[in-house]
Amino acid sequence: EDKVVQSPLSLVVHEGDTVTLNCSYEVTNFRSLLWYKQEKKAPTFLFMLTSSGIEKKSGRLSSILDKKELFSILNITATQTGDSAVYLCAGRTQGGSEKLVFGKGTKLTVNP
Amino acid sequence: KAGVTQTPRYLIKTRGQQVTLSCSPISGHRSVSWYQQTPGQGLQFLFEYFSETQRNKGNFPGRFSGRQFSNSRSEMNVSTLELGDSALYLCASSPGTWASEQYFGPGTRLTVT
């Protein structure tokens, strides 16, 4: 059965801290891994990773995939209160389908 | 471009009733996927439609069904509602190729009493 596990489940930090969120996956015919940020509404897309070892960056956020060890990390540097959200990772299967298998998420709280 | 839209945004139904939810994807996107989100189970895949055909289905009972129209708009239907069907139902739109991202709509919050 396909499975995505995120850790930690929750995290509380102070503004300015750097955080690392973890995602391990066991997904049949793995194709890519996606990261989303969910505040009160719909998840918003952050990154899609398909190749090992290539870091993707967007401002203070970055992410990398290790297809040998089956995990990904999401880094956020110089955290701000606006980064408070649930961060979701999802594995995408091959086979002509858009099915995503989601982890339960990491709830990040950034205190001023 | 306009984003993914879902209607209605909120819905209250009683057990045994049925419900239909609607999703309009981003213009040009041909794939629509549906997900159920609950506090206990997180986001779970329901099904995906591409060019009016169901391309994949998750592990949900037959009470959950869907369809897609020629303009890529999609509907999902839940019959004989149960209390456990209370959830946020999200649809996601993508061009439908393996290298594309999925973009989520705001969701429909369904409460079954």
Side-chain angles (χ1 to χ4, degrees):
Chain A
E1 185 183 330
D2 295 333
K3 188 169 62 174
V4 174
V5 178
Q6 293 185 245
S7 64
L9 290 180
S10 67
L11 194 53
V12 180
V13 300
H14 291 290
E15 265 192 318
D17 287 350
T18 294
V19 298
T20 298
L21 310 184
N22 303 294
C23 174
S24 66
Y25 63 90
E26 294 176 30
V27 173
T28 309
N29 298 321
F30 173 82
R31 172 171 285 166
S32 58
L33 190 128
L34 290 82
W35 284 95
Y36 289 87
K37 176 183 181 182
Q38 186 173 28
E39 296 171 89
K40 290 187 177 176
K41 300 177 185 175
T44 53
F45 173 79
L46 293 174
F47 297 111
M48 184 172 73
L49 305 157
T50 55
S51 301
S52 264
I54 298 175
E55 185 182 52
K56 291 220 172 177
K57 283 195 76 146
S58 177
R60 296 176 294 102
L61 277 66
S62 63
S63 183
I64 198 161
L65 176 67
D66 185 326
K67 290 169 81 171
K68 183 179 175 187
E69 300 297 331
L70 308 182
F71 78 88
S72 175
I73 60 172
L74 175 69
N75 278 321
I76 308 175
T77 59
T79 51
Q80 302 171 356
T81 55
D83 295 327
S84 296
V86 174
Y87 290 84
L88 297 162
C89 79
R92 180 194 236 142
T93 61
Q94 284 182 337
S97 170
E98 295 292 303
K99 175 182 175 181
L100 294 178
V101 179
F102 279 88
K104 295 281 177 73
T106 293
K107 183 177 179 182
L108 174 65
T109 303
V110 182
N111 290 323
Chain B
K1 270 188 181 178
V4 181
T5 58
Q6 291 186 245
T7 56
R9 295 293 311 281
Y10 302 91
L11 207 47
I12 300 174
K13 291 285 189 178
T14 55
R15 273 181 300 177
Q17 288 186 312
Q18 76 161 15
V19 68
T20 298
L21 312 181
S22 180
C23 172
S24 291
I26 293 170
S27 177
H29 285 191
R30 296 166 66 189
S31 168
V32 174
S33 299
W34 288 89
Y35 295 85
Q36 182 196 65
Q37 187 173 34
T38 58
Q41 298 298 319
L43 264 162
Q44 292 186 288
F45 175 78
L46 279 157
F47 29 66
E48 184 224 354
Y49 286 87
F50 180 84
S51 292
E52 301 179 65
T53 301
Q54 188 180 86
R55 195 154 71 166
N56 204 341
K57 191 176 190 307
N59 296 325
F60 278 81
R63 301 185 296 107
F64 292 81
S65 63
R67 59 178 175 167
Q68 187 180 36
F69 302 94
S70 58
N71 61 358
S72 293
R73 189 177 72 84
S74 177
E75 289 181 347
M76 70 163 276
N77 184 275
V78 188
S79 62
T80 319
L81 284 165
E82 300 176 0
L83 295 178
D85 297 333
S86 295
L88 180 66
Y89 290 88
L90 293 160
C91 82
S93 141
S94 84
T97 63
W98 71 271
S100 53
E101 305 95 359
Q102 285 192 17
Y103 296 92
F104 282 83
T108 294
R109 172 74 63 186
L110 171 65
T111 302
V112 182
T113 61

